[in-house]
Amino acid sequence: MSKQIGIESTAEPQSSVDFGRRDVLKLTGAGVAALGAASLFNIPFAKAQDMSNGANNFYTSDQVTLEKVAFKSQYKMNVAGNLFFPNNLDRNARHPALVVGHPMGAVKEQSANLYATKMAEQGFVAMSIDLPFWGESEGEARQIVSPDVYAEAFSAAVDFLGTRPFVDRNRIGAIGVCGSGSFVISAAKIDPRMRAVATVSMYDMGAANRNALNHSLSVKQRKEIIAAAAERRWAEFEGGAVEYTSGTVHELTADTHPIQREFYDFYRTPRGEFTPASANPQITTHPTLTSNVKFMNFYPFNDIETISPRPMLFIAGDQAHSREFSEDAYKRAAEPKELVWVSGAGHVDLYDRVDLIPFDKLTSFFNQHLSA
């Protein structure tokens, strides 16, 4: 049966970032990833994590062992992962496993490691991954948008997990946080080996780019974005600097929109800031401008009902600016399905605020649906 549940909370040097000229994705009530003007100076660097309000993005556990791994996708690209499992794991037995995807523009060290660690504490073999073109995964140019390649990374993760001698390949599930929620749905539609799927603070990256939040982007504005990206391709093809778009602003001003402030608090402060070796602080979170329009052709919720009878769990904060995407996916999905609202939680809260994230619900969901 379908259920809607409310949970009360417990307590690159030659590249450039192009923001101002294409500030058409309005953050009214609200646009998608803001393009507003941003300074590339005075960028904060993480030194000691800000753990206020229960935030603990860089959580580690003495109950869990971490192994760095890499494996090939069908595109013969190395996908990097962090494999977590309980210290007392019986490697002579076969166990349920989970693959965890990070928010769009992030890397596995942001949110995905936390979720994988927490689920490993509950007895699962759990692996966070870097999407191709991001973090430690392969792919050139860096920070390219390619929804199909992203979705394939989840299936490649299932390939890897299902060939480990201590994993039961018939008991593999997936968790997608933010943008990865839409990528894992896209993957699960054509990969029935994902036996149960959960999303947290999901963004439909297709709808978010086509329409912006609350459908605040007009078709005329969409066409302007597409035209600007197409025009930029000429310059980059002839050797011009790569331009980046979207992502999180690098400083706050009096005019910074509340949604951008929410992302800034995670990505630009010690709370969650992380710069992988493949990037630099000026471009973290920013996809390339010319590739970002590929999201316009991304429709992850079409045919979502075909995932049934495999179960789906949608978790979102009841105060989240992104709640429309979980609502839409839940409405379209077939049984069995659940929609869980976390009381008092916003979108980014569920990235790392361990006092709000319903890990007990995730545990019970996967224990039930990945049982032997």
Side-chain angles (χ1 to χ4, degrees):
M1 295 178 62
S2 63
K3 293 184 283 185
Q4 295 195 48
I5 302 172
I7 291 182
E8 294 296 329
S9 59
T10 57
E12 269 130 59
Q14 295 181 342
S15 300
S16 63
V17 183
D18 176 42
F19 296 103
R21 296 195 308 250
R22 298 172 177 88
D23 187 9
V24 293
L25 293 186
K26 302 174 297 179
L27 282 170
T28 51
V32 61
L35 305 173
S39 170
L40 299 183
F41 306 100
N42 302 317
I43 299 170
F45 294 87
K47 294 182 180 178
Q49 185 184 3
D50 176 5
M51 297 173 63
S52 61
N53 300 310
N56 201 356
N57 177 69
F58 299 106
Y59 174 80
T60 58
S61 173
D62 58 9
Q63 305 172 47
V64 169
T65 299
L66 161 64
E67 289 184 4
K68 297 188 74 66
V69 299
F71 47 90
K72 295 287 187 183
S73 71
Q74 282 193 334
Y75 298 110
K76 303 307 178 186
M77 298 164 64
N78 270 328
V79 177
N82 286 337
L83 185 66
F84 300 86
F85 49 86
N87 293 338
N88 59 358
L89 185 79
D90 181 359
R91 286 178 171 260
N92 294 315
R94 294 187 180 271
H95 307 273
L98 301 169
V99 55
V100 184
H102 57 74
M104 178 60 204
V107 291
K108 62 184 180 302
E109 288 79 9
Q110 293 165 309
S111 194
N113 276 358
L114 168 61
Y115 275 77
T117 301
K118 287 288 189 178
M119 298 310 290
E121 286 183 335
Q122 301 303 314
F124 295 91
V125 175
M127 183 172 67
S128 63
I129 62 170
D130 277 327
L131 295 177
F133 311 106
W134 297 85
E136 295 180 303
S137 286
E138 288 185 343
E140 296 292 342
R142 303 306 294 164
Q143 296 172 216
I144 284 281
V145 168
S146 183
D148 179 64
V149 176
Y150 294 169
E152 160 60 20
F154 284 92
S155 286
V158 174
D159 295 339
F160 176 83
L161 289 170
T163 53
R164 303 309 96 189
F166 48 86
V167 168
D168 184 343
R169 65 173 54 180
N170 293 314
R171 292 192 288 160
I172 298 176
I175 300 173
V177 181
C178 187
S180 277
S182 58
F183 308 144
V184 75
I185 287 173
S186 180
K189 287 189 298 184
I190 57 172
D191 193 340
R193 301 174 303 167
M194 298 178 196
R195 299 304 174 92
V197 174
T199 70
V200 183
S201 285
M202 177 168 55
Y203 251 77
D204 174 348
M205 294 306 301
N209 279 272
R210 281 188 302 275
N211 307 317
L213 300 178
N214 298 326
H215 290 255
S216 59
L217 189 74
S218 69
V219 173
K220 179 177 181 293
Q221 290 172 317
R222 182 196 309 172
K223 289 181 176 180
E224 289 172 353
I225 295 170
I226 293 170
E231 186 68 21
R232 182 63 200 168
R233 290 182 66 122
W234 296 118
E236 293 186 13
F237 184 82
E238 293 179 323
V242 174
E243 291 192 4
Y244 296 85
T245 189
S246 184
T248 302
V249 297
H250 292 263
E251 69 175 13
L252 300 180
T253 71
D255 298 325
T256 303
H257 192 279
I259 292 176
Q260 271 291 9
R261 291 179 181 273
E262 184 181 0
F263 284 115
Y264 180 97
D265 190 57
F266 181 80
Y267 287 111
R268 305 299 182 208
T269 75
R271 173 183 165 191
E273 191 276 334
F274 185 88
T275 302
S278 62
N280 65 64
Q282 295 180 345
I283 64 171
T284 56
T285 79
H286 301 291
T288 65
L289 185 146
T290 56
S291 72
N292 197 60
V293 292
K294 289 180 170 59
F295 278 137
M296 303 289 190
N297 279 340
F298 182 47
Y299 294 83
F301 296 170
N302 285 3
D303 299 323
I304 190 175
E305 70 277 6
T306 62
I307 293 176
S308 175
R310 290 171 288 148
M312 302 195 71
L313 170 66
F314 307 100
I315 298 173
D318 67 356
Q319 304 301 309
H321 67 261
S322 58
R323 59 177 290 162
E324 63 182 274
F325 302 123
S326 293
E327 289 175 325
D328 186 23
Y330 176 77
K331 179 180 179 181
R332 298 191 195 197
E335 303 287 358
K337 59 183 179 179
E338 294 183 62
L339 176 58
V340 172
W341 296 117
V342 181
S343 178
H347 175 84
V348 177
D349 287 332
L350 300 185
Y351 285 11
D352 68 338
R353 298 201 188 280
V354 294
D355 295 339
L356 285 173
I357 299 170
F359 289 111
D360 55 346
K361 179 59 188 177
L362 286 164
T363 299
S364 64
F365 173 77
F366 286 114
N367 277 337
Q368 176 184 353
H369 297 294
L370 298 180
S371 59

